[in-house]
Amino acid sequence: MTMPFSARARLALLSLALPACVLATPAQAEAVSCPALDTAVQVAACPSDAELHYTFVGYCSDNARLYGRDVMTCASFENYKAVKNTALWESGDGAFSGYLDCNVEPGVLRAAKAVKMSVERKSNLTRLICDYDNDQRMVMRTKASCTVDAADCSAGECRASCE
């Protein structure tokens, strides 16, 4: 006796789905903490003065209306340089990244300690934010849902749980 086609198809699908169900494990929360900046790596070079002058003219000229008229930044080249003279850095494991200030010596940046941790959720993206001394910030972007367990880094290690 042979099985009808639809029964064979159901049996085949069941044989594929059953091992997947058995091997599936419940999602485990991953503990994440702010990275130490002493192991961070500078990924991009700091802009030269010529590059900053070029972007200053483009950002603060008549085309500034496209950028929302950032009055304080465009008040002078010194203000612009204080805001825009940054380079991309990554944590040692590459999970966190941020644009750190090129006006601050790398040794001072590496010695900065984490101050607080926060989380922002926008549609399906979570930003886990670590703020450091000297107004530096590193961010981890993930699709996982994260909650901050300990936000104050001065009392110890700040941490979050991501699922």
Side-chain angles (χ1 to χ4, degrees), residues 34-38 108-116 131-134 136 153:
C34 288
L37 290 184
D38 61 351
V108 175
L109 287 175
R110 291 183 191 285
K113 301 293 181 205
V115 176
K116 73 173 186 172
D131 289 314
Y132 294 84
D133 298 330
N134 302 322
Q136 305 304 316
C153 302

Side-chain angles (χ1 to χ4, degrees), residues 67-79:
Y67 300 109
R69 293 271 184 205
D70 190 352
V71 177
M72 291 304 296
T73 301
C74 293
S76 69
F77 178 71
E78 289 73 30
N79 287 6

Side-chain angles (χ1 to χ4, degrees), residues 36-137:
L37 290 184
D38 61 351
T39 61
V41 178
Q42 186 173 349
V43 178
C46 291
S48 67
D49 274 348
E51 290 170 322
L52 285 170
H53 278 293
Y54 179 79
T55 57
F56 171 70
V57 170
Y59 186 80
C60 295
S61 69
D62 292 336
N63 292 333
R65 61 183 159 66
L66 301 173
Y67 300 109
R69 293 271 184 205
D70 190 352
V71 177
M72 291 304 296
T73 301
C74 293
S76 69
F77 178 71
E78 289 73 30
N79 287 6
Y80 180 83
K81 186 175 181 178
V83 172
K84 299 293 185 176
N85 191 16
T86 60
L88 182 63
W89 287 64
E90 286 183 351
S91 60
D93 62 359
F96 284 80
S97 64
Y99 287 91
L100 302 185
D101 195 346
C102 290
N103 299 316
V104 178
E105 291 294 321
V108 175
L109 287 175
R110 291 183 191 285
K113 301 293 181 205
V115 176
K116 73 173 186 172
M117 178 184 264
S118 59
V119 67
E120 292 178 354
R121 182 92 178 152
K122 196 172 211 178
S123 58
N124 64 347
L125 184 69
T126 300
R127 291 175 20 125
L128 194 56
I129 303 164
C130 293
D131 289 314
Y132 294 84
D133 298 330
N134 302 322
D135 294 326
Q136 305 304 316
R137 175 177 277 185

